[in-house]
Amino acid sequence: MDYQSFKHLLLKGTPKNVYLFSGVEIGDKKEALSIFKQRLFGNESPTVYTFYCDSEFVPANFLNAIQTAGLFSSTKLILLKGIEQAKDSVIKTLTSLLIPQSFEAAHYEEIFARFPKEINQLNTYYEKKDNRYFLKKIKETDKKKIIDLFAHCNFSPLDKDSFLIVSDETNEKIPDAVTRLFPETQTIQFFEMFENKKADWTRTEFAKYNLSIDNNSVSLLLDMVENNKSALEQEIGNIAAMILQKDASQKNITHDLIEEYLYHSKEESTFSLFSALVAKKRDKALEILDKLFIAAPDGILSGLLWSQRRAVRILDLYENMKQPKELIFRELFINGKKAQQELSLLIANFSFRHAVYALNRLSQLEYFLRVLPANLKLIQLQLFILDYIDERIDRDFLQGELQFVVS
């Protein structure tokens, strides 16, 4: 199901208890989640539990959040983010939740009695022993069939007041073992706008502020701003506010005005830090690191890890699989000119071997940044940047050269 169909369902119909959000359009995802919360909680304070598919995921805590009644509201929403990074523990937990291992016999027969065709098929996967139905040993492909049968019978393993949204955070592929746990009607695809639609959409957004914008200015804005509607909407609002504050009579947005805004308002992020690394700009990278370490130290490593995982994937496709850059960009949904230029620099400046070593080094950093005091954390990050740019990344913090990271 696409976002517009899902949005119509939220506004006019009855939502299901479980959904998978998949796709690169962050702005629509945020809007969908906001509408979903409004539908569930109205003007009440929402009861929301958020979990991440990382090393700190605890299955018992996740299941308790779903199965335990809330103190202040019977309705609750559980968010599970980063599902594209899901390991076995997450996948097994979701599977056991969405495909129950057993049912009380009376409950099973009450749920599915109105669906004779479906219950006959379900009985090939569940067998009755005494007063319970137990799941037989099934193949991986059977899981999709069971999930679809549940959907046809309008069965949800969650109680009527519990809702679960599982979502990805990047454009990496969600494991098949996860996607087959969600029927098509409960898998919401958030597609990026087509290139030929972005310019018209940008002009329409500026028109809301009674401003017009020429083609060159639209192209510059789309090249420089993060490629999702949420980021664009925010930047368009900021540009409009800046222009109207400076000169309320100004109605036309020019290339120079866009450049002025981008130059004066640009904030550093882990993405600009990675851009400096890829371009081998040592002083710039260290300067950005210092700013980030003061403003938001906890997000530095996660952003670098995401960028470096993508770097490994790109260099593997280019160097080992011999795929051309254009095909790689298309396969990984890298459509913006700025991002393509940056990743072309990655391909020109670094090897697959370097990328793997760097990812291993970042994994070590994850430990050091947890246990070291703040001043030493900054030093370790600075060392990483210097070694990355100087291509000495195959040296371990404690033991010298790494061995057997790649064959």
Side-chain angles (χ1 to χ4, degrees), residues 11 28 40 45 82 121 145 201 243 274-275 297 351 356 370:
L11 296 174
D28 284 348
L40 294 187
S45 179
Q121 294 178 58
K145 298 173 185 176
W201 180 86
I243 291 171
F274 190 75
S275 296
S351 66
V356 173
R370 278 202 303 265

Side-chain angles (χ1 to χ4, degrees), residues 80-140:
L80 179 59
K81 297 185 176 183
I83 193 61
E84 71 278 22
Q85 302 295 335
K87 305 299 182 188
D88 284 347
S89 63
V90 175
I91 295 173
K92 287 178 181 177
T93 302
L94 273 178
T95 303
S96 65
L97 173 68
L98 300 177
I99 302 180
Q101 297 298 298
S102 70
F103 291 85
E104 288 186 1
H107 183 52
Y108 179 91
E109 290 160 3
E110 178 185 358
I111 294 170
F112 303 114
R114 295 182 295 110
F115 304 94
K117 180 181 176 182
E118 284 78 8
I119 199 170
N120 283 337
Q121 294 178 58
L122 281 170
N123 286 342
T124 64
Y125 304 114
Y126 285 89
E127 61 180 344
K128 188 175 183 181
K129 293 181 181 178
D130 298 326
N131 62 344
R132 295 193 72 84
Y133 282 86
F134 292 91
L135 184 67
K136 300 176 184 178
K137 186 175 181 180
I138 58 173
K139 296 180 291 186
E140 193 65 29

Side-chain angles (χ1 to χ4, degrees), residues 20 83-84 86 91 94-95 140-141 143-144 147 172-182:
L20 173 65
I83 193 61
E84 71 278 22
I91 295 173
L94 273 178
T95 303
E140 193 65 29
T141 53
K143 294 175 183 177
K144 177 65 175 172
I147 288 293
E172 292 185 28
K173 187 177 184 296
I174 298 174
D176 292 339
V178 172
T179 57
R180 63 172 58 101
L181 296 175
F182 297 85

Side-chain angles (χ1 to χ4, degrees), residues 236-302:
I236 288 170
N238 291 340
I239 292 168
M242 179 192 77
I243 291 171
L244 295 173
Q245 186 177 18
K246 286 178 60 177
D247 182 2
S249 65
Q250 174 73 42
K251 297 298 180 185
N252 298 313
I253 299 190
T254 64
H255 195 278
D256 289 342
L257 285 170
I258 296 291
E259 279 193 339
E260 179 187 354
Y261 168 77
L262 292 171
Y263 177 79
H264 288 295
S265 67
K266 185 173 178 58
E267 295 181 0
E268 302 295 0
S269 68
T270 52
F271 299 107
S272 58
L273 174 57
F274 190 75
S275 296
L277 287 176
V278 165
K280 292 192 169 185
K281 295 180 178 179
R282 181 189 291 104
D283 292 342
K284 180 66 174 175
L286 291 172
E287 177 187 339
I288 295 171
L289 174 64
D290 287 342
K291 291 179 180 178
L292 292 177
F293 197 80
I294 293 170
D298 293 339
I300 295 173
L301 186 64
S302 60

Side-chain angles (χ1 to χ4, degrees), residues 155-171:
F155 167 71
S156 171
L158 278 65
D159 70 58
K160 63 181 181 64
D161 294 320
S162 297
F163 295 84
L164 171 65
I165 292 178
V166 177
S167 68
D168 57 8
E169 298 290 295
T170 70
N171 56 13

